[in-house]
Amino acid sequence: MAIDFSQPPEVVDLVERTAAFVRDVVIPQEERYAGVVSAGGEALRARLQAAARDAGLFAPHVSREYGGLGLGMTARAPVFEAAGYSLFGPLALNCSAPDEGNMHMLEIIATDEQKERYLRPLASGEVRSFFAMTEPAPGAGSDPAALSTTAVRVDDGWRIDGHKWFSTGADGAAYAICFARTSGKVGTVGGATMFLVDADNPGLKVVRHIDTLDQAMIGGHCEVIFDNCVVPDSAILGELDQGFAYAQVRLGPARMTHCMRWLGIARRAQDIAIDRVAERRLFGSKLVELGMVQQMIADSEIDIAASRSLVLQACWELDQGLRAAQSTAMTKTFVAEAVWRVVDRAIQICGAAGVSGELLLGRYLNEVRAFRIYDGPSETHRWALARRAVKERLKATGALESAS
């Protein structure tokens, strides 16, 4: 089957308008707040999102029925990259994590009533949300089967009890999508259910912000307690005990949109480095004329181009309705590490300025470092990639059948 990654004219136009908007409107705000979104808070979010809405750039990933631009995964890639050229760009377009992934999942799984109550205000930027899955050790993290938060039936519906942390965006969010065990034991696959929990539920408490390297996520990374948190049956998102399957609806595409956004920062770091070497002179030559600098620039160009190709391949598979487990795991692993390399090289090229507050490269390095851990650390993805590769090879050679 032929694969065509060329974008239609309307997407090319959207990319160009997004790039101009980020350059003219968003980057001045990013520089004003040194890339720390909490410094601007909700007022900054409202201001940027109003500007993006006026520019016709708002919610590119959401269907037109809910006020978005209705882009598929492949079309999103260059748009999200253009938005990600600034740390604040995805926030402005309302396509930042975790809300973007939650919108995607709600559109596919939620009932019509849930879509009106939870998706529509989220898609419009009226509210924010968070996804409560990760737990302190030994709870769910890289291994979701370790899920220990429970939801048990009570007269009024379900009672959720559990301890979550790294719940991104929890502070100030209107509601949570909580991952809880409704059957089975800790360590077993299956038996999880997702629940929509309003933030004003007395059983939900945001305990604290966790101090982290990255600071570009509005609402922070929070520790959250569900204690005697009672919700009605109508709060169930999807079907009972199908949470692990539904999570894949969110995780694969969300990993790719993370890659798209961070590619924007990689491009920004590369541009900063190139601008620097084009004007800086050392030892009688411009830096750009020195072989070692040329190699670093070239290696970063290769990392960016390879990352884009992997993203497009995975997005094409997702648009075709394929599971794309191998391609999304491969892409997430490579891009997370490639983006780090690009930003690190840019700092090295810029020397003292690179590690100073004069440039935002240090802020970018802190932000992209976390990407090698969240949405599955590189080691977990490599483990899964190897297992699937071996299984496919054994299947192809007949060794799998003979061994069983």
Side-chain angles (χ1 to χ4, degrees):
M1 181 185 294
I3 302 175
D4 183 6
F5 289 147
S6 61
Q7 300 287 359
E10 59 270 23
V11 174
V12 174
D13 174 69
L14 182 60
V15 172
E16 292 173 351
R17 290 190 293 114
T18 299
F21 173 79
V22 169
R23 180 189 65 237
D24 299 336
V25 177
V26 180
I27 287 178
Q29 296 298 310
E30 179 195 51
E31 293 174 342
R32 175 184 177 185
Y33 294 107
V36 179
V37 72
S38 61
E42 289 293 339
L44 171 66
R45 181 178 79 93
R47 191 163 64 245
L48 288 176
Q49 291 191 350
R53 193 179 291 107
D54 291 343
L57 305 172
F58 198 70
H61 56 293
V62 176
S63 69
R64 294 187 180 276
E65 178 182 359
Y66 293 98
L69 303 180
L71 299 185
M73 291 298 297
T74 305
R76 289 177 206 179
V79 177
F80 277 43
E81 181 180 334
Y85 196 74
S86 164
L87 292 175
F88 293 180
L91 180 66
L93 269 64
N94 200 21
C95 65
S96 60
D99 288 336
E100 174 266 325
N102 289 345
M103 291 180 225
H104 177 86
M105 186 169 63
L106 286 167
E107 279 213 67
I108 295 173
I109 299 171
T111 64
D112 290 342
E113 181 180 351
Q114 288 171 336
K115 288 177 182 178
E116 288 301 318
R117 181 173 176 180
Y118 295 103
L119 173 59
R120 191 173 294 279
L122 186 63
S124 69
E126 180 183 341
V127 302
R128 292 190 292 103
S129 64
F130 70 100
F131 191 67
M133 181 174 182
T134 304
E135 300 169 341
S142 299
D143 180 7
L147 180 69
S148 62
T149 297
T150 60
V152 298
R153 280 197 178 276
V154 293
D155 291 342
D156 296 329
W158 295 84
R159 188 189 74 235
I160 304 172
D161 293 285
H163 186 183
K164 304 288 187 179
W165 79 331
F166 275 83
S167 295
T168 303
D171 188 6
Y175 63 90
I177 298 175
C178 179
F179 213 71
R181 183 173 293 282
T182 45
S183 67
K185 298 180 180 179
V186 173
T188 60
V189 177
T193 301
M194 288 187 285
F195 293 88
L196 291 157
V197 183
D198 295 331
D200 61 1
N201 189 309
L204 189 164
K205 183 179 180 181
V206 177
V207 178
R208 67 182 176 109
H209 280 243
I210 299 166
D211 187 21
T212 60
L213 288 173
D214 57 325
Q215 299 181 49
M217 299 290 193
I218 194 162
H221 301 294
C222 297
E223 184 174 4
V224 179
I225 299 293
F226 292 86
D227 181 16
N228 195 27
C229 182
V230 178
V231 296
D233 283 329
S234 60
I236 294 176
L237 179 59
E239 296 180 22
L240 190 67
D241 289 342
Q242 297 303 308
F244 284 111
Y246 286 133
Q248 299 308 312
V249 172
R250 184 186 190 278
L251 290 175
R255 286 167 180 152
M256 294 308 93
T257 51
H258 269 311
C259 291
M260 300 168 194
R261 290 185 292 257
W262 288 126
L263 265 175
I265 283 297
R267 183 73 260 172
R268 176 87 171 278
Q270 176 77 331
D271 287 348
I272 290 171
I274 291 174
D275 291 344
R276 178 76 170 179
V277 300
E279 64 180 24
R280 180 84 162 120
R281 297 186 69 90
L282 285 175
F283 309 113
S285 301
K286 287 187 176 181
L287 277 180
V288 73
E289 298 168 353
L290 301 180
M292 287 185 289
V293 171
Q294 291 172 346
Q295 179 177 345
M296 286 192 284
I297 291 172
D299 286 346
S300 290
E301 287 294 311
I302 293 167
D303 273 337
I304 292 170
S307 295
R308 283 198 188 114
S309 296
L310 286 168
V311 166
L312 287 171
Q313 171 67 36
C315 286
W316 179 86
E317 292 182 23
L318 290 169
D319 280 338
Q320 299 304 307
L322 303 175
R323 185 164 178 261
Q326 196 78 341
S327 60
T328 55
M330 193 179 303
T331 301
K332 196 275 178 183
T333 304
F334 182 86
V335 175
E337 296 176 0
V339 168
W340 166 269
R341 291 193 295 266
V342 172
V343 178
D344 185 62
R345 290 188 197 109
I347 289 176
Q348 191 70 17
I349 288 171
C350 291
V355 297
S356 74
E358 298 299 306
L359 301 173
L360 284 176
L361 291 173
R363 175 79 267 132
Y364 299 159
L365 196 71
N366 282 350
E367 296 296 329
V368 303
R369 179 59 183 87
F371 187 32
R372 286 160 56 190
I373 295 173
Y374 56 60
D375 272 4
S378 298
E379 292 75 15
T380 299
H381 286 298
R382 283 189 165 93
W383 170 73
L385 286 164
R387 287 184 66 198
R388 284 191 288 263
V390 171
K391 183 178 180 179
E392 286 300 311
R393 178 57 183 165
L394 294 178
K395 183 179 178 181
T397 60
L400 189 63
E401 289 79 1
S402 61
S404 58

